[in-house]
Amino acid sequence: MENTTGPKTTSLPADHAVAMPAFVERSHLVVQDLQAVSAWYQRIVGLSPIEQSKSGVTLGAAGRPLLTLTSDGNAAKAPRSAPGLFHHAFLVPGRKELGRWLAHAVENGVRLQGASDHLVSEAIYLADPEGNGIEIYRDRPRDEWTYQEDGTVAMNTLPLDLQALYDEAPKGAWNGLADGTTIGHIHLQVSDIPQADAFFRDALGLDLMARYPGASFFASGKYHHHVAANIWNSRGAPKREGNMTGLAGYTIRFNDAAALAAVIRKLDALEIAASGENGIHSLTDPWGIGLKLSA
């Protein structure tokens, strides 16, 4: 059911997350109750159906596919310690749109898990009905980011003033996530940080942009992060099993086909198997999570 066409063309800033040389295009969750989870993402997150079949649905914003949900009757509930999704992060165009989503969440009694000012962004956290983590966020302008001499970017986790964000938000009818909403990044649970550095930095060619205790943040184009990996719940955990709920896979798209070709050559040199079909290269990452690379 995977849509192999590119994302909808929307006018986005030149320094936007998805305008970078490589970016996370979409993610794929296996869920136990497809109908309920799909309805929740539509009603609460504000995604809209793009493709539908008996086994799953692809949801997105303004025609841009962002999230595929499928159901497998044999899937076992993934333990909290399993490698997989920490959260997938939906990037809205600005603070106004973040405030509008917050006002919508308040009106619907959504239980939030947290809200943070990360210096480079403002983020709100919650989970879907099956416990999959979600971040709704907006980026601050890049001229407000602080880069260190080594090329990393300053990030922090400070309290976000939700009351001020709510008070500033336009109130009115909720029509879903705004045009221009994308997946800004995906944050993974992995079992080992040096292994994550070796895979995302050394094999896939992403830059290491920041470190927290137990976490690394990777990106292209000096974005703050397109992929994060932490061991906070999953240190030393075995690979995901094929029949688990949660993150089945995600897609990294390259804006330059030559850059993708270089990554494929690097994977071959490292003897990391990737099968190619219709321009999409499929592999399994070191923690048993599916990964598709496309251009």
Side-chain angles (χ1 to χ4, degrees), residues 36-282:
V37 175
S38 173
W40 186 90
Y41 273 97
Q42 293 175 58
R43 183 174 66 88
I44 299 302
V45 175
L47 299 177
S48 301
I50 294 175
E51 298 176 30
Q52 202 145 7
S53 74
K54 290 183 179 179
S55 61
V57 61
T58 294
L59 306 172
R64 180 188 292 269
L66 301 176
L67 173 64
T68 295
L69 302 171
T70 57
S71 185
D72 181 348
N74 296 319
K77 181 72 173 175
R80 186 168 180 266
S81 61
L85 188 70
F86 191 67
H87 60 245
H88 42 203
F90 298 99
L91 173 59
V92 299
R95 183 175 167 87
K96 180 180 75 172
E97 289 80 12
L98 185 63
R100 280 182 62 85
W101 183 84
L102 175 62
H104 159 72
V106 169
E107 290 171 5
N108 284 271
V110 176
R111 182 178 179 182
L112 303 179
Q113 294 183 326
S116 298
D117 180 343
H118 293 302
L119 303 183
V120 295
S121 63
E122 294 180 317
I124 300 172
Y125 297 94
L126 66 159
D128 74 17
E130 296 193 3
N132 297 295
I134 298 165
E135 176 181 339
I136 312 285
Y137 78 110
R138 71 101 178 182
D139 278 332
R140 294 185 184 277
R142 284 218 193 186
D143 60 12
E144 296 181 14
W145 301 8
T146 300
Y147 289 96
Q148 314 291 353
E149 290 186 3
D150 62 0
T152 60
V153 66
M155 295 172 62
N156 205 332
T157 301
L158 306 173
L160 177 62
D161 188 343
L162 284 177
Q163 188 62 56
L165 182 64
Y166 176 84
D167 291 344
E168 293 171 21
K171 308 302 190 293
W174 167 252
N175 297 313
L177 290 173
D179 187 5
T181 297
T182 68
I183 288 188
H185 64 267
I186 193 165
H187 194 146
L188 306 175
Q189 295 194 159
V190 301
S191 50
D192 183 74
I193 292 300
Q195 189 180 40
D197 294 347
F199 183 70
F200 292 110
R201 180 188 61 197
D202 303 336
L204 298 187
L206 300 178
D207 296 322
L208 179 65
M209 294 304 299
R211 285 198 191 276
Y212 279 11
S216 290
F217 297 77
F218 309 92
S220 70
K222 296 301 179 182
Y223 189 60
H224 53 75
H225 66 294
H226 288 104
V227 178
N230 78 62
I231 56 170
W232 300 330
N233 300 316
S234 52
R235 182 192 299 269
K239 288 184 179 181
R240 288 180 62 83
E241 298 176 8
N243 64 338
M244 282 183 173
T245 60
L247 185 65
Y250 59 104
T251 300
I252 294 178
R253 180 174 286 270
F254 291 77
N255 280 316
D256 179 1
L260 172 58
V263 169
I264 298 304
R265 289 194 297 270
K266 181 69 171 180
L267 292 173
D268 288 343
L270 294 172
E271 299 183 344
I272 299 174
S275 60
E277 184 177 353
N278 297 324
I280 298 176
H281 301 265
S282 301

